[in-house]
Amino acid sequence: MMRTRPLKVALLGCGVVGSEVARIMTTHADDLAARIGAPVELAGVAVRRPSRVREGIDPDLVTTDATALVKRGDIDVVVEVIGGIEPARTLITTAFEHGASVVSANKALLAQDGAALHAAAQQHGRDLYYEAAVAGAIPLIRPLRESLAGDKINRVMGIVNGTTNFILDKMDSTGAGYQEALDEATALGYAEADPTADVEGFDAAAKAAILAGIAFHTRVRLDDVYREGMTEVTAADFASAKEMGCTIKLLALCERAADGGSVTARVHPAMIPLTHPLASVRGAYNAVFVESDAAGQLMFYGPGAGGAPTASAVLGDLVAVCRNRLGGATGPGDSAYTQLPVSPMGEVVTRYHISLDVADKPGVLAQVATVFAEHGVSIDTVRQSGKDGEASLVVVTHRASDASLDGTVEALRSLDTVRGVASIMRVEGE
């Protein structure tokens, strides 16, 4: 039997995502009520610029006083889509204190202060859901938190930023340089006027912190995630990747150590074989590859950004939280019982692709191979080409630690036959 008294929802932010949340709540009101077991009512919308016309939203609901809105006491669920650290953090904790559960899309805040927010939600007996914080419309957080709760997840590897994937895909498919591909992404609206958060990996790093924490039941903060941007990736790197049967993606990688005693979380460009499922992810799409003991290999794929796709994830959480509210229960909270340490990047073991500019004369390859051997780095393949006294030497290693490779590269630079290190890139997805 459906309850007639509506559940009241406060919306913090009414930009690209917030406006879509409001629209779907209005146009799908009957369906949402049937799925939840009670009507949902948009009780207030907090914005910074109240004079802007917002189609489909009653102007009387619009306010600039977000604090007063979350303090009302009759709000059942607060939907936070304003982003950033403050005032979002204070508004969310205030919402808990005044009896509301929270649905958030705020990856930066959750990556930085997720533990404190979960603790506040638990203290007040309220829900904190955030499916939309990672990979847009793709159902990912809930499968990791709930569907795979009985399994042991060993690795999460994915493309979690649509802007960077669009740029790299354009470089791969057309031979364009980085700046040319970025300009096209900006013109099409995929890249912001300041793309730093995307292309330098900050956005993906926040998502990696969230994914690692959930997958491995441990505390992983944004500061724990190694981050390397993609601005140095060149057309020559793509040419080398193609010669290896690979392409290049900006990946978020979260791994449990083989002995189970630690985890790693990192974001960086990497070559992946064309046979790997992530290699076929094109344009601005996202995809995440999960490896676990019992389920094996799973891939989640779909649009990773945009107003409507992200709003879809928000509304999914809203339905779940409202159902919990009616049932007098809360959903899964924070799970960090393992308290595993996060290993530094120097201990991460992977394969490497190193391109060297060298003198084209006898004995160079032997010198280079000796340096690799002295630092305990095993060579898988070598490719050399050149003329007129100059040559290019491409070395692909077997698995080695980041620290051992750093020592190798430093020693290579000291050789008088090595003119320079053109590029170094990790190789993933074997």
Side-chain angles (χ1 to χ4, degrees), residues 50-347:
S51 59
R52 178 185 297 176
V53 176
R54 293 171 172 86
E55 186 177 349
I57 297 177
D58 184 348
D60 290 339
L61 296 179
V62 177
T63 178
T64 58
D65 194 343
T67 301
L69 179 59
V70 301
K71 281 184 174 181
R72 275 177 37 173
D74 64 337
I75 300 297
D76 294 290
V77 184
V78 170
V79 174
E80 183 272 309
V81 288
I82 56 178
I85 306 301
E86 289 291 359
R89 174 171 48 198
T90 299
L91 291 170
I92 289 174
T93 54
T94 302
F96 291 141
E97 292 165 2
H98 288 79
S101 291
V102 173
V103 173
S104 176
N106 196 331
K107 55 188 171 286
L109 178 58
L110 288 158
Q112 179 171 306
D113 288 318
L117 294 178
H118 274 292
Q122 183 177 14
Q123 178 185 350
H124 297 285
R126 295 296 176 248
D127 275 322
L128 173 62
Y129 276 49
Y130 43 91
E131 185 67 67
V134 179
I138 303 173
L140 183 59
I141 300 297
R142 196 171 290 115
L144 291 178
R145 281 212 300 193
E146 300 178 31
S147 303
L148 296 173
D151 206 343
K152 179 184 177 184
I153 298 173
N154 296 309
R155 195 176 203 223
V156 179
M157 178 172 75
I159 299 162
V160 296
N161 183 279
T163 299
T164 55
N165 198 58
F166 178 89
I167 293 170
L168 292 172
D169 182 41
K170 187 61 60 174
M171 293 175 70
D172 185 29
S173 61
T174 69
Y178 167 76
Q179 189 61 50
E180 182 183 352
L182 173 60
D183 290 343
E184 182 172 351
T186 304
L188 292 173
Y190 291 123
E192 302 286 346
D194 180 0
T196 302
D198 294 323
V199 300
E200 292 295 352
F202 291 101
D203 175 85
K207 296 170 181 176
I210 295 169
L211 290 173
I214 295 171
F216 307 132
H217 304 281
T218 196
R219 297 265 187 256
V220 180
R221 289 171 49 90
L222 180 59
D223 292 345
D224 295 322
V225 181
Y226 171 84
R227 177 193 55 78
E228 183 182 319
M230 48 162 276
T231 57
E232 301 301 318
V233 176
T234 66
D237 291 326
F238 274 100
S240 292
K242 287 181 178 179
E243 290 180 359
M244 289 178 58
C246 292
T247 188
I248 298 171
K249 300 291 186 181
L250 184 74
L251 298 179
L253 298 108
C254 312
E255 294 179 294
R256 187 192 302 269
D259 64 3
S262 64
V263 300
T264 60
R266 50 197 166 102
V267 169
H268 54 71
M271 294 182 180
I272 58 172
L274 294 175
T275 53
H276 193 281
L278 291 178
S280 61
V281 178
R282 311 304 295 267
Y285 275 74
N286 284 190
V288 178
F289 202 71
V290 177
E291 300 177 24
S292 68
D293 276 0
Q297 297 179 332
L298 307 169
M299 192 168 93
F300 301 84
Y301 170 84
T310 305
S312 170
V314 171
L315 267 295
D317 278 351
L318 179 64
V319 169
V321 170
C322 286
R323 286 171 174 169
N324 291 343
R325 190 84 169 185
L326 288 179
T330 56
D334 193 21
S335 175
Y337 68 90
T338 61
Q339 299 183 19
L340 296 173
V342 181
S343 297
M345 189 61 189
E347 297 178 11

